[in-house]
Amino acid sequence: MRILLAEDDRATQLRLAAYVKEWGYHPVAANDGAEAWTLFEKEDFDCVISDWMMPKLNGVELIQKIRRSEREAYVYVILLTGQTEKHNLVEGMEAGADDFVTKPFDKDELRVRLRAGQRIVALERRLAERNRELSMFSSVASHDLREPLRTISSFLGLFEKKYKGKLDQEADEYIEFIMDGASRMRTLISDLLAYARLEAHAKDFEAIDMNSLVEEKLQFLARAIDECQAKITFDSLPTIEGDRTQLSQLLQNLIGNGIKYRAEGSQPNIHIDAVARDDTWVFSVADDGIGISEDHHETIFEPFRRLHGTGSHYSGSGVGLSICRKVVKRHGGRIWVESNEPQGSIFYFTIPRVVQGDSNHA
Ligand code: ADP
């Protein structure tokens, strides 16, 4: 395990380096926060032990920079605190420290805390590796499943053209079932692919005017809106920092669901709004559709969970809201629904007003 030691007190730094070496780790020392940051940007580290009070860049500022960095692998951070900073511990932990040790530190205490850190780093790496494998697997699987499905669909199309109405009524019915199955399979595969691609295609955050993004989505959904004469309104929405493609997908899924899950024959009314609450924006997408019973308010955000599945006239794969949850989480917010079935639903999601700058938290 490579450990970056950020400590301006020479004696403490030497002591730390000697211990860390003795325990079998590889220490790299920096004399202040700024030097530590330069080293961190250039090299790979598994762990950082940082003093709090340092010239140029203090420990908390260093940790904030580390957490916002594009570094893919998780880095475990231990903050060294003096007696005076101890009461500010919450600030250090909120900046992203994993653990803290009070100075003057006890050798054995630091050793066991580092060992715990090493376990967490190993677990994080394994998890990241599994996630990568899984998303690669689903991406490849979805691609490979598409190919035979295309063959089925195109020959089925030809078959329908040539034989529908020429065989008996039962055969016509079978053709319809197969067409419907193929179409559902197509939706499932493309949604699965969208879910798997979400992380791989993550982009850097930029300033996004949510008014124009909603306008774009309304144009994209124009056909569905026209079909049911949906009325979609929105109040003056803020500009936020985020991943354009992902936020666009989020709005599309929520507005699309508002249109889709309407009572038969009704004209949906959907309203999009955002209010500032402390340091977050709380967005809401409210519809007057069929609503969602309270038992399902959590489960609908899990992949492939559908309340209106096969047999109902609502098509879908059950992936849309799980994508929404992933997107909101990456933006440092949360998503939930409030609904009094059968009186419509309001989907809420929060986005920090303070720039997170973290484009790597998929
Ligand atoms: P899909 O729409 O493809 O089924 P989602 O993940 O978007 O998948 O939604 C999961 C389930 O949550 C849907 O199948 C539906 O039962 C329910 N749901 C989602 N949005 C709404 C809504 N606005 N009104 C009522 N039910 C909804």
Side-chain angles (χ1 to χ4, degrees), residues 187 191 253-262 270 285-293 296 299-309 312 314-324 337 339 341 344-347:
T187 310
D191 286 359
N253 292 356
L254 293 180
I255 301 170
N257 278 352
I259 298 171
K260 181 162 63 169
Y261 295 105
R262 62 182 187 271
I270 297 168
V285 179
D287 66 53
D288 57 355
I290 56 174
I292 301 162
S293 84
H296 302 292
T299 49
I300 50 168
F301 293 99
E302 289 167 17
F304 301 109
R305 286 299 189 117
R306 305 203 68 217
L307 309 181
H308 312 92
S312 81
Y314 299 108
S315 64
S317 65
V319 172
L321 287 178
S322 58
I323 289 181
C324 292
V337 66
S339 172
E341 194 190 21
S345 321
I346 309 178
F347 281 85

Side-chain angles (χ1 to χ4, degrees), residues 56-71:
K56 296 183 193 161
L57 195 71
N58 70 33
V60 169
E61 288 162 343
L62 174 66
I63 295 170
Q64 281 167 342
K65 273 179 163 302
I66 289 173
R67 291 296 179 231
R68 284 178 192 161
S69 69
E70 301 278 316
R71 195 62 59 94

Side-chain angles (χ1 to χ4, degrees), residues 265-290:
S266 68
Q267 297 177 346
N269 289 290
I270 297 168
H271 184 66
I272 305 149
D273 199 1
V275 291
R277 199 167 296 158
D278 300 326
D279 52 1
T280 52
W281 285 110
V282 183
F283 284 84
S284 56
V285 179
D287 66 53
D288 57 355
I290 56 174

